[in-house]
Amino acid sequence: MGFWDTITDLVEAATPWSTADADAPAKESTEEVTAETTQEEASSEKEAAEAPEEEPAAEEEEEEEEEEEEEEEPEIVDPKEQLEEECRNSKQCAPVKHHFDECVERVTSAQANGETAKEDCVEEFFHLAHCATQCAAPKLWSILK
Amino acid sequence: MLARSCLRATRAFAGARNGAVQITKRAASSSSSGSTAESPLRLNIAAAASTAVAAGSIAWYYHLYGPNADAMTPAEEGLHPTHYPWVHQQWFKTFDHQALRRGFQVYREVCASCHSLSRVPYRALVGTILTVDEAKALAEENEYDTEPNDQGEIEKRPGKLSDYLPAPYKNDEAARFANNGALPPDLSLIVKARHGGCDYIFSLLTGYPDEPPAGAQVGAGLNFNPYFPGTGIAMARVLYDGLVEYEDGTPASTSQMAKDVVEFLNWAAEPEMDDRKKMGMKVLVVTSVLFALSVWVKRYKWAWIKSRQIVYDPPKDVRH
């Protein structure tokens, strides 16, 4: 984030052993590897005996990664909403939240009594949202990638 | 007082013009003697009338312009977005190209069904977001018109890198028809085209409340969003947690997707940003060196002029 990172980035970029590819780095996909191994299987039995051992290992790793991702998915909670909820209930936003709650109570009770509400709580909502986002912004950016 | 003192001064100074001074003096004294001759009643009436006119005009002016005329309610203005500490907006920072890649994925899987990105060709994606092969493969998924052939027919061909990203609708009318009369804007320059830029779009995408605040009027077919001027926006909330599966395994929370897609849209609007900052740094470095050099040269050239001493040695034995 800071100035030092900039310098390290520059040094990294300038070093002769660093690479920057516009194209994807030439990496053989696992499918090709498996295809080759099957060919080897057909050609010689000894190599075939070794190759399948490697194959399941690679597959297992992939499966593990997938499982991890699947495990993460249901747990995804939007950090923004979480942080803003905390901020809304914090001491910093207590006055605006008080105003908003009061307004909501006033309007809903008026609506419940069958009257047409003479006001809306948009302005109070704005003040509350402004306070909450302002408070959550730096924390949110420290979490997000 | 001032006039009188001036008169006195001129009299004191210019004795030759005494006659003229005398005339002006006489005129002044005669007018003052005339006003004292008016009856006090008429004077009082005149004073009261002028006071009434003055007070009336002030009251009328206040009536016109005094009270606060709220032309816009806060709801009509829209909530101003909070400033977020975008990394790519810092002086020494470039776009995070992994974020751009994720953002492009979000655009393609979510936004592209309604919003065009008509000013971005596939070739712009190469090297910044996609590799050549990926971009080519992506371009070939779409069909574009060819040049007219020998019979004058326009045929279809698969896309090339030089083609532009296809729009979801044929024209604006089709887009309006498909979206209940609302036109989804082109996103190529949207970051530059909206007040608040990145902050606004991020806030808009993530700012949909679960339900509008009590008493708020939401029009038919509209959704409540505090950041949209007028608070009624035709676009519903589209980003939900886990909507997109990122290839780099980043948890796709709503705010993460919004952040990525906003950074991507900033790139789309300003692809030259990285180069611009680099060039700016070069310019600053080179000009500061040249400036320092020019200061040194100037001092060098002027050194003998500045440091010389001119001595006047008067002749000693001079007799008058």
Side-chain angles (χ1 to χ4, degrees):
Chain A
M1 290 290 187
F3 187 69
W4 182 243
D5 286 353
T6 312
I7 293 174
T8 51
D9 282 355
L10 286 174
V11 169
E12 238 170 61
T15 47
W17 54 84
S18 67
T19 53
D21 295 322
D23 292 6
K27 187 183 68 181
E28 286 183 10
S29 62
T30 51
E31 288 176 17
E32 286 173 354
V33 173
T34 52
E36 283 172 15
T37 49
T38 48
Q39 284 173 2
E40 285 168 9
E41 273 180 77
S43 63
S44 66
E45 287 178 5
K46 287 179 184 176
E47 287 177 4
E50 291 171 4
E53 286 178 3
E54 292 170 6
E55 226 179 308
E59 278 176 9
E60 275 173 12
E61 279 174 15
E62 280 177 12
E63 279 173 4
E64 278 174 8
E65 281 172 12
E66 280 172 12
E67 278 172 7
E68 279 171 15
E69 281 170 14
E70 279 167 11
E71 280 170 8
E72 280 169 14
E73 267 178 21
E75 289 172 9
I76 289 179
V77 183
D78 192 4
K80 184 169 188 275
E81 279 175 17
Q82 226 174 3
L83 290 169
E84 284 182 6
E85 187 61 37
E86 283 169 19
C87 280
R88 246 174 254 138
N89 296 322
S90 69
K91 198 180 168 187
Q92 190 185 344
C93 297
V96 280
K97 184 166 170 50
H98 173 72
H99 278 294
F100 178 68
D101 289 344
E102 221 172 36
C103 173
V104 168
E105 203 174 312
R106 210 162 49 228
V107 171
T108 46
S109 67
Q111 282 171 344
N113 295 340
E115 302 165 19
T116 50
K118 288 172 188 165
E119 57 168 354
D120 55 35
C121 297
V122 173
E123 206 170 329
E124 287 82 356
F125 178 81
F126 276 17
H127 291 153
L128 180 59
H130 177 75
C131 178
T133 51
Q134 197 92 354
C135 150
K139 298 174 199 168
L140 179 64
W141 242 243
S142 65
I143 290 175
L144 291 183
K145 203 171 167 184
Chain B
M1 275 300 277
L2 183 68
R4 214 176 290 163
S5 64
C6 284
L7 281 180
R8 207 178 298 144
T10 48
R11 190 169 48 192
F13 258 92
R17 279 181 286 162
N18 239 344
V21 173
Q22 285 298 332
I23 291 164
T24 48
K25 246 180 105 179
R26 203 177 299 139
S29 64
S30 69
S31 70
S32 65
S33 66
S35 65
T36 48
E38 298 277 346
S39 67
L41 179 68
R42 290 184 111 185
L43 267 184
N44 286 345
I45 289 172
S50 60
T51 310
V53 167
S57 62
I58 288 170
W60 177 68
Y61 191 85
Y62 184 77
H63 165 72
L64 266 186
Y65 303 111
N68 203 0
D70 287 318
M72 293 265 275
T73 61
E76 284 169 319
E77 180 86 26
L79 177 53
H80 286 210
T82 308
H83 177 68
Y84 287 96
W86 297 95
V87 173
H88 69 264
Q89 286 179 344
Q90 294 172 16
W91 275 39
F92 295 101
K93 291 295 172 188
T94 61
F95 285 118
D96 177 3
H97 287 251
Q98 280 197 314
L100 292 186
R101 200 178 160 94
R102 291 197 297 269
F104 180 57
Q105 189 185 351
V106 174
Y107 166 75
R108 217 163 31 125
E109 292 183 16
V110 183
C111 317
S113 56
C114 295
H115 290 278
S116 58
L117 197 66
S118 58
R119 286 167 192 273
V120 177
Y122 288 105
R123 60 187 156 79
L125 302 170
V126 175
T128 51
I129 291 172
L130 302 177
T131 64
V132 178
D133 299 333
E134 283 172 332
K136 276 182 181 167
L138 195 66
E140 281 163 8
E141 284 174 15
N142 298 293
E143 286 190 328
Y144 290 86
D145 287 343
T146 53
E147 294 285 302
N149 63 8
D150 295 344
Q151 283 94 43
E153 300 293 328
I154 294 176
E155 291 168 349
K156 292 286 182 184
R157 61 162 171 80
K160 297 186 284 192
L161 281 184
S162 54
D163 288 316
Y164 284 74
L165 294 185
Y169 303 109
K170 273 181 283 183
N171 44 47
D172 285 0
E173 284 71 20
R176 281 185 196 280
F177 180 71
N179 287 291
N180 229 344
L183 175 69
D186 184 77
L187 295 184
S188 312
L189 296 168
I190 203 76
V191 169
K192 283 180 175 173
R194 295 287 180 272
H195 283 288
C198 290
D199 296 325
Y200 169 74
I201 294 167
F202 179 83
S203 300
L204 190 83
L205 289 174
T206 56
Y208 287 94
D210 294 334
E211 51 186 29
Q217 301 292 323
V218 183
L222 297 181
N223 302 279
F224 184 85
N225 191 313
Y227 297 96
F228 192 73
T231 68
I233 184 168
M235 181 175 81
R237 179 179 170 173
V238 283
L239 294 179
Y240 289 95
D241 293 337
L243 183 64
V244 168
E245 196 170 321
Y246 283 134
E247 55 187 7
D248 59 356
T250 309
S253 60
T254 304
S255 44
Q256 179 69 53
M257 286 187 287
K259 186 185 177 217
D260 291 339
V261 84
V262 166
E263 191 160 344
F264 167 73
L265 291 176
N266 197 344
W267 171 83
E270 210 177 358
E272 80 284 0
M273 191 197 79
D274 292 356
D275 286 336
R276 180 166 59 77
K277 284 182 181 169
K278 207 162 123 189
M279 180 54 82
M281 285 308 298
K282 283 180 189 170
V283 166
L284 285 180
V285 167
V286 170
T287 49
S288 57
V289 167
L290 288 179
F291 177 71
L293 200 66
S294 70
V295 167
W296 179 82
V297 167
K298 185 260 168 187
R299 288 171 68 93
Y300 179 76
K301 294 278 185 192
W302 280 67
W304 69 274
I305 300 176
K306 290 273 189 182
S307 60
R308 74 184 167 179
Q309 195 176 10
I310 300 174
V311 178
Y312 175 59
D313 197 8
K316 275 162 193 165
D317 307 328
V318 176
R319 305 265 175 191
H320 288 291

